[in-house]
Amino acid sequence: MADLDTKTTKSPPPPPEEPEAKKLKMSTTTTSDDEETTTVDTTGNTKKQRYKRRKIAVFFAYCGVGYQGMQKNPGAKTIEGDLEEALYLSGAVPEQDRNNPKRYDWARSARTDKGVSAVGQVVSGRFYIDPPGLVDRLNSNLSPQIRIFGYKRVTASFNAKKFCDRRRYVYLIPVFALDPSSHPNRESVMASLGSENELVKCLECSERGRKVAGLMGKRNYELRGASFESGISSNGSDAKLDSIVNDENGVPSVIGDGENQNSESTKEVKVENGDSGINQVEYSTGILGPNEVSIDLGSSSGVEENGNGEEKPEKRSDFNYGEKERERFNRILKYYVGTHNFHNFTTRTKAEDPAAQRFIISFNANTVVTVEGMEFVKCEVVGQSFMLHQIRKMIGLAVAIMRNCAPESLLEKALQKDVNINVPTAPEVGLYLDECFFSSYNQKWKDSHEELSMKAYEEEAEEFKMKYIYSHIGLTEQKEGVVALWLHSLNHRNYPDLQAVDNENGTNNNNTDAENKIE
């Protein structure tokens, strides 16, 4: 009985303890948010005004030429470094916080590579925005190639990086780059001799069927024309357009100097289904004079020798970005859409790293833009975030496939986790950040805060883009032939992985020996 009494009188379990309230994070700013200034009113009496720091999002654009990217890097000239200094000189940041961005909650929406530009970049932080005129003060302390459009008040917890849902980048690739017969490498020229589709060598680039040392960075040039009349940084103190580029064997090739022929000629042509809508441009060919530049637009410039050593006129390519080419290029770019492992499209990121998983929302190339008399295909990619060189490598492989340097099936292999492929990297000059989006933030705070978008700055942004970014891309290709030189590196000697066998057909699409398979 005693045992029964013990069981029936057992005490109930103690009530569960309530979890401790989550502690709020302390502000990284240790100084006061207030700043006192002394002013004199109309009666001669002194009056103290107190300003408070405000959390804001700053919208701005920049041309990346001459800069080592967006992110601040000790010893390097960066966009962020110049912007931080301008914030201090403009009174938005106090003396004690100078060169210490953590103290004012600094954050950026996107990091751009060396030489890459931006139209819709956004940074956030806690700054003194009074007295009025902060935007004008900032622009007066910045180079003309960095332009502040404006700022908007945001919530105290806002972070330009964490609250950015997606980012849109644009890459302008010359139309001629998609033409397999334009700027062919030496192996392709030799292999085509005697065939119906015989290729001809480039007058300016015939001996560049190899990687060109320093092609992606150490270029010297002086930007000219109304678009670059002042304030543009160049990669060299006394650089000139008559720069000499050496190939890996040390053979110099002089890039001629040509004046800007059409600094205002920038237009876009939308390609609709069923109608290409392209204004075809006839490009002059033939032997160049001493001060002319061989750009080889849409064909292989120069002349060719026949078996008797006599020169014969080149065969002009009739390539244009019409409906068929547009559909093929868009089909190739669509492989990237969705969630994939992009470890082959960046550097220093292993396939096992979760950071290699990225989500691409859309990727298309439906628009043709004419800049400085040259046609470019406008490739627009939207994604949550991108890794170092990812977009340039995606474009690089897509162009290689369009030029029949690699089979289309190679793209599927490159997105596999257990496959390692050396992917070509397109030049940085054609890439720019177009816009950052904050959809979730705007939806949540639509009743109390301004919408974060580029709508209010569209006209300013378009003007800046045409004057600095597009002009830079067009003039650089005209005077240096950056993409043209890069195309010669798209050969199987530099990129043996491009010879991957198409498993479906059992043969290589480029009609080359299929000895090097992707393991």
Side-chain angles (χ1 to χ4, degrees), residues 122-189:
V122 181
V123 295
S124 62
R126 299 170 65 249
F127 306 111
Y128 294 113
I129 61 176
D130 294 314
L134 175 61
V135 173
D136 292 335
R137 293 197 302 275
L138 284 171
N139 284 323
S140 66
N141 288 304
L142 288 167
S143 163
Q145 70 185 91
I146 304 177
R147 177 73 179 180
I148 306 296
F149 298 135
Y151 63 85
K152 295 184 180 182
R153 293 280 301 276
V154 293
T155 61
S157 62
F158 180 82
N159 182 290
K161 178 182 178 181
K162 296 178 180 178
F163 283 66
C164 185
D165 302 311
R166 50 199 171 98
R167 298 151 178 92
R168 180 173 64 214
Y169 281 82
V170 171
Y171 193 99
L172 296 186
I173 186 76
V175 169
F176 69 77
L178 306 180
D179 179 7
S181 64
S182 172
H183 294 278
N185 56 67
R186 288 179 299 159
E187 289 87 345
S188 299
V189 173

Side-chain angles (χ1 to χ4, degrees), residues 333 337-338 359-364 380-383 386:
L333 297 177
V337 176
F359 175 54
I360 305 299
I361 299 170
S362 64
F363 206 162
N364 59 73
E380 298 185 44
V381 56
V382 180
F386 299 92

Side-chain angles (χ1 to χ4, degrees), residues 400-401 403-410 413 492 495-518:
I401 294 172
R403 293 174 60 84
N404 301 322
C405 297
E408 195 169 315
S409 60
L410 181 63
K413 292 183 175 67
H492 298 148
Y495 300 101
D497 292 341
L498 296 182
Q499 299 182 85
V501 173
D502 189 335
N503 291 330
E504 295 180 2
N505 300 325
T507 57
N508 184 279
N509 289 3
N510 201 34
N511 297 323
T512 57
D513 294 335
E515 298 178 356
N516 297 322
K517 296 183 180 180
I518 303 299

Side-chain angles (χ1 to χ4, degrees), residues 292-358:
E292 295 182 73
V293 183
S294 173
I295 301 300
D296 188 25
L297 303 178
S299 63
S300 298
S301 301
V303 293
E304 176 192 19
E305 293 183 1
N306 57 22
N308 299 326
E310 299 176 354
E311 292 183 350
K312 61 181 180 180
E314 65 173 82
K315 295 180 181 179
R316 178 176 299 207
S317 171
D318 57 356
F319 181 88
N320 68 83
Y321 194 67
E323 184 66 19
K324 183 179 178 181
E325 290 75 19
R326 183 188 70 85
E327 288 182 358
R328 185 189 177 203
F329 198 29
N330 276 298
R331 185 181 70 245
I332 293 171
L333 297 177
K334 194 173 182 180
Y335 279 92
Y336 296 120
V337 176
T339 301
H340 301 286
N341 191 307
F342 287 94
H343 73 101
N344 283 315
F345 295 86
T346 186
T347 56
R348 301 190 298 274
T349 300
K350 296 182 179 180
E352 299 77 19
D353 191 336
Q357 289 284 124
R358 300 286 162 148

Side-chain angles (χ1 to χ4, degrees), residues 382-398:
V382 180
Q384 287 182 335
S385 59
F386 299 92
M387 296 180 289
L388 179 68
H389 299 160
Q390 181 182 344
I391 297 173
R392 291 165 57 193
K393 283 182 173 289
M394 290 193 294
I395 292 291
L397 182 55

Side-chain angles (χ1 to χ4, degrees), residues 177-228:
L178 306 180
D179 179 7
S181 64
S182 172
H183 294 278
N185 56 67
R186 288 179 299 159
E187 289 87 345
S188 299
V189 173
M190 296 302 296
S192 70
L193 296 179
S195 67
E196 294 182 359
N197 298 319
E198 190 169 315
L199 300 174
V200 294
K201 61 184 181 180
C202 301
L203 178 64
E204 191 73 22
C205 310
S206 59
E207 299 303 322
R208 294 182 184 273
R210 59 180 69 87
K211 282 188 176 179
V212 181
L215 177 61
M216 298 305 173
K218 299 177 181 178
R219 306 192 310 271
N220 295 323
Y221 50 83
E222 177 186 20
L223 300 174
R224 297 183 180 179
S227 301
F228 295 88

Side-chain angles (χ1 to χ4, degrees), residues 25-256:
K25 292 183 178 180
M26 298 295 292
S27 171
T28 56
T29 303
T30 57
T31 57
S32 171
D33 281 348
D34 297 344
E35 182 181 81
E36 289 187 352
T37 59
T38 303
T39 60
V40 181
D41 59 20
T42 55
T43 61
N45 298 323
T46 59
K47 181 182 179 181
K48 289 186 177 181
Q49 285 184 312
R50 188 178 294 273
Y51 298 130
K52 293 192 68 174
R53 293 198 196 193
R54 308 292 185 184
K55 194 66 171 290
I56 62 173
V58 181
F59 292 78
F60 66 105
Y62 53 84
C63 180
V65 58
Y67 284 89
Q68 302 296 311
M70 168 69 187
Q71 187 175 8
K72 192 175 181 180
N73 189 12
K77 182 177 177 61
T78 63
I79 300 294
E80 200 170 80
D82 282 11
L83 185 56
E84 286 182 11
E85 184 66 12
L87 286 165
Y88 165 72
L89 297 174
S90 303
V93 174
E95 174 67 36
Q96 61 268 27
D97 291 354
R98 188 180 186 184
N99 298 323
N100 193 355
K102 289 184 178 181
R103 292 175 64 89
Y104 45 85
D105 298 336
W106 177 267
R108 73 191 76 81
S109 289
R111 291 183 296 180
T112 53
D113 300 345
K114 172 187 175 183
V116 176
S117 303
V119 178
Q121 178 67 285
V122 181
V123 295
S124 62
R126 299 170 65 249
F127 306 111
Y128 294 113
I129 61 176
D130 294 314
L134 175 61
V135 173
D136 292 335
R137 293 197 302 275
L138 284 171
N139 284 323
S140 66
N141 288 304
L142 288 167
S143 163
Q145 70 185 91
I146 304 177
R147 177 73 179 180
I148 306 296
F149 298 135
Y151 63 85
K152 295 184 180 182
R153 293 280 301 276
V154 293
T155 61
S157 62
F158 180 82
N159 182 290
K161 178 182 178 181
K162 296 178 180 178
F163 283 66
C164 185
D165 302 311
R166 50 199 171 98
R167 298 151 178 92
R168 180 173 64 214
Y169 281 82
V170 171
Y171 193 99
L172 296 186
I173 186 76
V175 169
F176 69 77
L178 306 180
D179 179 7
S181 64
S182 172
H183 294 278
N185 56 67
R186 288 179 299 159
E187 289 87 345
S188 299
V189 173
M190 296 302 296
S192 70
L193 296 179
S195 67
E196 294 182 359
N197 298 319
E198 190 169 315
L199 300 174
V200 294
K201 61 184 181 180
C202 301
L203 178 64
E204 191 73 22
C205 310
S206 59
E207 299 303 322
R208 294 182 184 273
R210 59 180 69 87
K211 282 188 176 179
V212 181
L215 177 61
M216 298 305 173
K218 299 177 181 178
R219 306 192 310 271
N220 295 323
Y221 50 83
E222 177 186 20
L223 300 174
R224 297 183 180 179
S227 301
F228 295 88
E229 54 192 21
S230 64
I232 300 296
S233 303
S234 60
N235 296 335
S237 56
D238 297 317
K240 294 184 178 180
L241 275 169
D242 295 326
S243 58
I244 298 179
V245 181
N246 295 325
D247 61 24
E248 65 184 13
N249 290 336
V251 180
S253 176
V254 179
I255 301 177

